[in-house]
Amino acid sequence: MNGWGRAFRRRRVIGSGPGGTGPENAGPSSVDDAGPAPAVLSVILLVVVLGFSFEPAVVLPRPAAVPMVLLQLATCLPSTRRLRGAWTLAAQFLLAPWSGLPGFLGASVLLVVERRLRWALFGVIVLAAGPLAPGDGSVHSVLNGMGNALAHGLIIYALTRLTDLYAELRATLGALGQARVTAERERAGRDLDAVLGAALAEIARLAGQGTRAARDMVVVARAASERVRAAPTVQSAESEAEADDGADVTARAMTPGPAWPIVVATHLEYLIVGMAFLLGDGVPGGRIAGYAAVLVAVVGLQAYHSLPRPPGVRPPYAAWTLGLQLALVLVVLAAPDGPYPQLVGFAAASVLIVLPARTGWPAAGALTAVAALALLARTDGPGARGTALLLLDIVVIALVFYGLALLTRLVQQVREAREALASLVVARERRRIARDVHDLLGYGLSAIVLKGELAVRDPDRERAGRHLADAAALAERALADLRAIPGEGAELTLEEELASARRVLAAAGIAVRVQGAAHSVDGVSQALFATVLREAVTNVLRHAAGAGRCEVDLGPGLLRVADDGRALPAPQRREGAGPGAGGNGLRNLRERAAALGGVLEAGPAPHGTGPGGARGYVLTVRLESAPVPLTG
């Protein structure tokens, strides 16, 4: 609505055109952190469209304006935007000359027409709106018509596009995270294959060369095992940037780029048309300079309050700038011949942008009420009907500028939420990959080292060959696990891990006793217990010096692995210095158990509770459904 040049003087309304106001901001503002519901955004759009449809000094809209408004709402509102298309645009094109709302057609062109043509067509509509505008054909009348068309089109387009972006970003909140996880998996797959894949392939090659290469195979396997059990390395900045570049194209494509240029354009449009009104309305020279300075200051402060900022950050010196803007607006309102009561709308928008919602809305309402009382109290005022139209102008201006600032901030907030969620998901994925590398490959490499050492020590060439064949098979299995890790991870079965534990420990000369059966463990616990058993066997091989026995107790919700070995001194242990402490291995297992609501305990066995009454090391995982733990 809001004719730019409309003002009151000697109880007459000056200016024409179906009103228009300039829009506002694209920067995050310091409104509350709580974002409004989608319904609130629709209400802002609805009020702005309806406000723009009113003409000054006209009680009832033109007949063609009603369907024009309905088509515009169907084009803009989130609940009806699926109707947006060529047919709505064609209908508005036919209605535009008789509706007095060319800016609505301009907004629809920007929303519907393809990118290469939309801005050129929009410019044609704006230029045509000047000569077609109602009025006396004066410079002010033509500029007012063009200004209204420009402002209406840009504001409705910006509000609609930002609402669409907000909805799209919320609907795809997890899409960026999934894209980055995919990129991270591809990167991890390349890195793992380059570092560990090459080592496993070399192990398999050396194992195939017989006992003469067994020592070299053990050296390669030990080096690879140390890499696996070390803390995971941090991703390089280059690969981080590569993942971001590959995964965040969608987010960057949704950036509300047009918002700030639209804000600048409509601010300038308001200044130009406002200046034209001052020059053409016969305002005395002394006061015209003062009014022009106030106009520039109020609009400039509004632009300052609308500058893009991180959510929750107020403009610097906001108390002073907002106070100055309010003072200037109230001075004009109280001036004997103040021509711009609509400037109150800019101040009300700044109040909504700068102050928290709980105080901003009452303050904006109070400011509007003050404007109404001041207009009604003036002897040369516009009267009740004119005051109502001016108040509608004020409300629309305030909602336009606040709506653009709010929607831009919300888009930025959702984008930041997507970024934070993506970073969290990627961090979890990196942790999962590092954990799987440690837990799944550590066992295989330790077993390969064992088999290689047995092949080196065994004088029987046939048995040594079998040990090397086992090492080659273990390397192939580890390579398969390695290639599965960057995907959804390797799948372990408790039955297979029990059989493998028996074979590997027996080869090391450690007797194995298993109490319970794999089928007694529920499906939820199977994968966890298989992983814990694999890590426990790895620790027996690496850390339990002189172990001769290992016991595995299985039951519903319970796994206990105990050995009778002598724990290595703390400086030599990679699993921690104190009872129950752990390095990467135990920390990983605790995380896995906690994810299923379980508890993992590990440490030296109390005297007499290890296998055969010996002192050893015990690792226990107990889920909520577990019975009282067995003591062996």
Side-chain angles (χ1 to χ4, degrees):
M1 91 158 271
N2 178 43
W4 289 124
R6 198 173 81 219
F8 66 90
R9 178 167 306 144
R10 294 177 299 278
R11 307 184 65 89
R12 65 187 179 90
V13 175
I14 302 178
S16 61
T21 175
E24 140 350 32
N25 138 329
S29 59
S30 188
V31 207
D32 289 296
D33 292 336
V40 175
L41 305 180
S42 297
V43 168
I44 291 176
L45 259 174
L46 178 65
V47 172
V48 169
V49 170
L50 292 178
F52 283 167
S53 66
F54 283 93
E55 295 184 73
V58 177
V59 178
L60 296 176
R62 305 182 190 187
V66 175
M68 191 73 168
V69 170
L70 294 177
L71 287 169
Q72 195 63 52
L73 292 175
T75 301
C76 297
L77 292 178
S79 58
T80 57
R81 66 177 177 177
R82 65 184 181 278
L83 302 175
R84 182 191 304 169
W87 76 271
T88 57
L89 184 61
Q92 285 187 296
F93 181 81
L94 295 175
L95 292 169
W98 295 276
S99 66
L101 299 171
F104 285 25
L105 176 61
S108 297
V109 164
L110 294 178
L111 291 168
V112 175
V113 176
E114 63 181 23
R115 187 181 302 271
R116 291 176 296 177
L117 299 176
R118 63 176 64 161
W119 290 104
L121 291 176
F122 179 73
V124 171
I125 292 170
V126 170
L127 292 174
L132 296 176
D136 55 7
S138 63
V139 173
H140 172 262
S141 175
V142 172
L143 287 178
N144 192 55
M146 294 172 61
N148 285 335
L150 175 68
H152 291 178
L154 290 179
I155 291 167
I156 294 174
Y157 166 68
L159 287 173
T160 304
R161 186 64 187 124
L162 287 171
T163 303
D164 291 348
L165 288 177
Y166 181 56
E168 290 168 13
L169 287 168
R170 284 180 61 89
T172 59
L173 198 59
L176 179 59
Q178 185 56 48
R180 287 197 179 166
V181 165
T182 301
E184 176 64 19
R185 288 177 175 177
E186 292 174 355
R187 182 202 65 82
R190 292 193 302 269
D191 292 352
L192 290 174
D193 192 62
V195 177
L196 296 176
L200 291 170
E202 178 67 7
I203 289 170
R205 186 186 69 80
L206 292 172
Q209 294 181 2
T211 56
R212 68 181 184 278
R215 292 184 186 277
D216 292 338
M217 185 196 74
V218 171
V219 171
V220 174
R222 278 182 176 155
S225 180
E226 290 303 313
R227 284 183 175 179
V228 164
R229 303 188 72 80
T233 56
V234 179
Q235 184 182 14
S236 68
E238 290 79 7
S239 55
E240 186 89 48
E242 177 186 343
D244 286 349
D245 288 343
D248 202 18
V249 175
T250 301
R252 286 196 296 271
M254 289 184 178
T255 303
W260 182 239
I262 287 174
V263 170
V264 172
T266 47
H267 277 80
L268 290 176
E269 185 271 343
Y270 187 93
L271 284 175
I272 291 170
V273 175
M275 289 296 182
F277 166 74
L278 289 175
L279 293 172
D281 197 54
V283 177
R287 290 204 299 269
I288 192 173
Y291 288 145
V294 170
L295 175 64
V296 171
V298 171
V299 175
L301 288 169
Q302 175 60 47
Y304 170 74
H305 294 148
S306 301
L307 286 172
R309 294 179 186 87
V313 177
R314 296 177 63 183
Y317 311 107
W320 292 97
T321 56
L322 181 60
L324 176 61
Q325 189 182 31
L326 289 171
L328 291 173
V329 165
L330 294 176
V331 166
V332 170
L333 199 61
D337 201 19
Y340 283 115
Q342 293 98 326
L343 289 181
V344 174
F346 286 86
S350 292
V351 166
L352 293 174
I353 292 170
V354 173
L355 300 181
R358 63 181 179 275
T359 55
W361 286 102
L367 184 60
T368 305
V370 168
L373 293 175
L375 291 172
L376 290 173
R378 296 183 63 157
T379 57
D380 61 342
R385 182 168 170 273
T387 298
L389 290 173
L390 287 169
L391 288 180
L392 183 58
D393 264 356
I394 291 170
V395 170
V396 170
I397 291 173
L399 286 180
V400 163
F401 279 69
Y402 169 66
L404 280 173
L406 172 65
L407 285 168
T408 306
R409 177 179 63 83
L410 290 177
V411 169
Q412 182 64 23
Q413 280 184 331
V414 176
R415 288 191 65 219
E416 290 182 358
R418 281 162 49 94
E419 291 285 345
L421 180 60
S423 298
L424 178 62
V425 170
V426 169
R428 288 177 176 172
E429 182 64 12
R430 289 175 187 165
R431 179 65 184 144
R432 189 216 33 108
I433 291 173
R435 187 177 61 195
D436 284 357
V437 167
H438 179 283
D439 296 350
L440 301 180
L441 298 185
Y443 165 81
L445 289 168
S446 296
I448 289 169
V449 171
L450 170 65
K451 289 292 186 178
E453 291 174 341
L454 291 174
V456 170
R457 294 197 303 263
D458 200 325
D460 188 315
R461 296 181 64 85
E462 183 177 346
R463 282 200 305 269
R466 287 199 296 272
H467 289 314
L468 290 174
D470 290 344
L474 287 166
E476 292 295 332
R477 180 183 177 187
L479 192 57
D481 288 345
L482 178 71
R483 288 169 179 165
I485 285 171
E488 297 300 327
E491 293 185 5
L492 303 182
T493 64
L494 187 56
E495 194 76 48
E496 291 179 358
E497 291 306 313
L498 282 170
S500 178
R502 284 191 176 98
R503 291 194 301 270
V504 172
L505 291 175
I510 301 173
V512 181
R513 179 186 68 81
V514 178
Q515 181 174 317
H519 62 76
S520 67
V521 178
D522 62 87
V524 175
S525 307
Q526 282 264 345
L528 171 64
F529 285 2
T531 304
V532 172
L533 178 61
R534 178 179 279 203
E535 176 65 16
V537 172
T538 303
N539 287 339
V540 171
L541 294 175
R542 292 173 58 86
H543 305 310
R549 295 183 61 187
C550 179
E551 296 180 353
V552 179
D553 297 315
L554 282 170
L558 176 69
L559 169 66
R560 177 178 178 274
V561 182
D563 65 73
D564 62 351
R566 176 174 52 84
L568 295 176
Q572 302 179 39
R573 290 178 58 85
R574 296 194 62 86
E575 291 305 323
N584 291 329
L586 291 182
R587 182 170 62 248
N588 292 344
L589 297 183
R590 286 192 176 94
E591 290 176 358
R592 293 178 187 272
L596 295 179
V599 177
L600 182 140
E601 300 170 350
H607 182 70
T609 62
R615 185 177 179 86
Y617 198 81
V618 180
L619 186 151
T620 304
V621 177
R622 187 166 50 252
L623 301 183
E624 291 183 356
S625 58
V628 177
L630 301 171
T631 59

